[in-house]
Amino acid sequence: MAKRGIDEQALFDAALEEFSIYSYKEASINRIISAAGIAKGSFYYRFKTKYELYLFLIKEGVRRKWEYINSEIKFEPKGSPDGDIFDFILLQAEIGVRFAKDFPGLYQLGKMFSKEKGTSLYEQVMEELGGGDESGLQGLIEEAFHSGILRQEFSLDFIQKLILSLFSSFDDIFFKNEEMELERALAYLKDFIRFIKHGLQS
């Protein structure tokens, strides 16, 4: 973000807080501008619409999360997809939980965005993000399936949809009405992976 003397960090922080508390429809550009302490004209010089700002935040959140995960994987002894696919999925999920604790604002933004599922806004943003599986799980599952690691009596399409759906619903299943605690989240994740692994692995 860099245009004409706007306090970019203040704007980013104010927008992140607004969209982490309110739905897209309820979020207010006026509140963001006021909290950031910038002129309305300066804001609209940088972002033409509320959607443009929202999309920027979502993209930035995804970019930072995967930058964080990929940098952490390099220092993990089991950080290779060449081993057990379930260990690798668990590793990614564990690092994702650490990211959520280190960057609670971005995590909360992601949760609020997930509540938009089923809306035209969600579909539009997902299309801008490339449409699909930003976790990389789909490719890992396909590779494991064709390598014979997963049970062949189930179709690849069924397995991918099942696992991706379970992971996308993880927070809603285990933390819908409560705060996520790191240790408890990791314990749930391990049980979650064990359940998927022994239900699918040949």
Side-chain angles (χ1 to χ4, degrees):
M1 272 196 197
K3 282 193 181 181
R4 282 197 186 171
I6 298 175
D7 187 338
E8 302 282 358
Q9 191 59 51
L11 176 56
F12 180 86
D13 290 343
L16 182 61
E17 181 172 3
E18 181 75 8
F19 286 112
S20 296
I21 295 171
Y22 299 99
S23 69
Y24 175 80
K25 187 176 181 180
E26 296 168 333
S28 163
I29 291 298
N30 287 334
R31 278 196 299 263
I32 292 170
I33 290 169
S34 176
I38 63 174
K40 186 173 281 192
S42 297
F43 171 83
Y44 283 110
Y45 182 78
R46 176 64 181 90
F47 294 104
K48 302 299 184 227
T49 63
K50 179 166 77 169
Y51 175 75
E52 192 176 308
L53 170 62
Y54 185 72
L55 181 62
F56 172 83
L57 288 175
I58 296 293
K59 284 183 173 180
E60 187 66 5
V62 170
R63 183 190 70 77
R64 291 190 188 187
K65 178 180 178 181
W66 287 102
E67 190 176 82
Y68 182 97
I69 288 175
N70 290 331
S71 66
E72 291 283 305
I73 281 176
K74 293 176 185 176
F75 301 102
E76 292 279 356
K78 58 180 180 177
S80 168
D82 298 329
D84 187 323
I85 180 179
F86 296 100
D87 285 344
F88 191 69
I89 291 171
L90 177 59
L91 173 61
Q92 280 194 348
E94 287 175 339
I95 296 173
V97 170
R98 295 207 293 268
F99 175 84
K101 300 301 284 189
D102 289 345
F103 299 94
L106 290 173
Y107 167 71
Q108 190 60 35
L109 173 68
K111 282 189 73 173
M112 290 299 288
F113 174 60
S114 70
K115 291 179 181 178
E116 302 284 355
K117 283 181 183 176
T119 68
S120 58
L121 170 71
Y122 185 86
E123 297 302 323
Q124 189 175 352
V125 171
M126 290 303 293
E127 189 173 337
E128 294 272 7
L129 291 175
D133 171 38
E134 49 101 1
S135 70
L137 275 178
Q138 198 162 340
L140 287 174
I141 296 164
E142 184 172 355
E143 187 177 331
F145 182 83
H146 291 306
S147 299
I149 295 170
L150 302 178
R151 290 167 59 178
Q152 302 294 296
E153 65 260 40
F154 299 117
S155 72
L156 173 60
D157 182 62
F158 171 80
I159 294 173
Q160 284 177 326
K161 284 179 177 175
L162 175 65
I163 294 179
L164 292 171
S165 177
L166 285 171
F167 270 94
S168 69
S169 304
F170 181 84
D171 287 353
D172 286 337
I173 294 170
F174 295 106
F175 299 103
K176 188 167 187 177
N177 297 310
E178 53 187 307
E179 288 300 311
M180 180 175 66
E181 296 172 5
L182 180 58
E183 292 307 315
R184 196 150 52 90
L186 292 179
Y188 281 148
L189 275 167
K190 287 172 184 175
D191 286 342
F192 203 51
I193 292 291
R194 253 197 315 270
F195 166 75
I196 295 171
K197 177 176 180 175
H198 295 297
L200 295 175
Q201 190 174 37
S202 59

